[in-house]
Amino acid sequence: MWYNKINNKLHIKPQEAIIVKQLYNLYTYHNLSLSKITKIFNEQQIPTNKNNKWTITTLSRMIKNPKYKGYYCAKKTEVIDYINKKVKYNKQDKWLTYKDKNIPPIIDEKTWDLANKKLHKNPKTKKKSQYFFSNKIYCLNDYHPFHRRKQCTNDITWLCSNYLNNTKKSCITPNIREKELYSILNSLLKLINYNNKDLITFVHS
């Protein structure tokens, strides 16, 4: 969508509308997974707004976006560092949304609601942790989770998932070796006198 300063209204971009409708249709009515749709979009070389590869995170955010059903949405992000311009993404229950006649809907409310109901029923971010640091390390630059990569037997690193999917253009955070992470964690545990019960809770959370 693009904003018209003359009439203070948003206008639909035809190409964007086609992609949005295809996403909701495939996800809601054809019951395809986000990973499958991501693969389809990338294989068809459908461009994103920033000409990056499609990711599950990108599609998930599109499905959650109330703008596509004609709703205004605020408080999606919150500034946590004004000097370095760092922001964090708020959870959906903290968003401020209401129907706005100046925002033309691309998707009807029924389709939007069905898609979001499915998304909340099968959230990818809530899957069980596979490794010790899974779902516990997030990028300082874009707040994407870090993923584990095994280069060889003695060289395991963790990298920003946004960096992995979209290369350096999207994230400048360097990789972190797993040995260094354990060393940092051990130092912190000694400083705060972490007890065994709390440690077990942390590992399985």
Side-chain angles (χ1 to χ4, degrees), residues 6 17 37 67 89 99 113 119 121 143 151 181 188 205:
I6 298 177
I37 299 173
K67 174 182 68 176
Y89 289 97
K99 196 167 186 176
D113 290 341
L119 188 67
K121 188 180 294 185
Y143 296 94
Q151 308 297 333
L181 285 172
L188 289 174
S205 62

Side-chain angles (χ1 to χ4, degrees), residues 116-127:
N116 277 268
K117 184 178 181 180
K118 177 183 176 181
L119 188 67
H120 289 303
K121 188 180 294 185
N122 303 295
K124 289 292 182 179
T125 55
K126 298 298 182 180
K127 64 182 180 180

Side-chain angles (χ1 to χ4, degrees), residues 55-202:
T55 65
I56 292 176
T57 300
T58 301
L59 296 182
S60 176
R61 287 178 180 169
M62 288 177 65
I63 289 174
K64 294 177 184 177
N65 196 340
K67 174 182 68 176
Y68 294 127
K69 63 173 180 176
Y71 276 60
Y72 173 80
C73 182
K75 295 187 178 181
K76 292 181 70 174
T77 60
E78 179 181 347
V79 178
I80 60 174
D81 188 337
Y82 287 93
I83 297 177
N84 296 314
K85 298 180 179 179
K86 300 295 183 183
V87 300
K88 72 172 183 177
Y89 289 97
N90 288 325
K91 292 183 178 180
Q92 198 166 355
D93 58 3
K94 291 186 177 181
W95 295 357
L96 173 64
T97 61
Y98 58 85
K99 196 167 186 176
D100 191 333
K101 63 180 181 180
N102 294 319
I103 302 177
I106 297 176
I107 300 298
D108 61 85
E109 291 192 40
K110 178 184 177 182
T111 301
W112 191 93
D113 290 341
L114 286 172
N116 277 268
K117 184 178 181 180
K118 177 183 176 181
L119 188 67
H120 289 303
K121 188 180 294 185
N122 303 295
K124 289 292 182 179
T125 55
K126 298 298 182 180
K127 64 182 180 180
K128 186 177 180 180
S129 299
Q130 184 177 1
Y131 303 104
F132 184 87
F133 293 106
S134 294
N135 300 320
K136 294 181 175 67
I137 310 174
Y138 291 84
C139 180
L140 183 63
N141 292 300
D142 50 42
Y143 296 94
H144 281 70
F146 271 56
H147 287 174
R148 190 176 188 263
R149 286 294 179 272
K150 189 174 182 179
Q151 308 297 333
C152 60
T153 304
N154 298 318
D155 189 13
I156 299 173
T157 58
W158 287 77
L159 301 93
C160 171
S161 56
N162 191 29
Y163 175 93
L164 286 172
N165 292 322
N166 300 317
T167 69
K168 294 181 180 178
K169 294 180 181 179
S170 56
C171 181
I172 59 173
T173 299
N175 59 346
I176 305 175
R177 281 187 164 79
E178 191 169 78
K179 291 181 180 179
E180 295 175 355
L181 285 172
Y182 277 112
S183 177
I184 294 171
L185 179 61
N186 287 330
S187 298
L188 289 174
L189 292 177
K190 290 179 182 179
L191 286 174
I192 63 178
N193 295 319
Y194 224 72
N195 61 54
N196 291 335
K197 183 178 179 181
D198 289 336
L199 182 59
I200 293 172
T201 301
F202 172 81

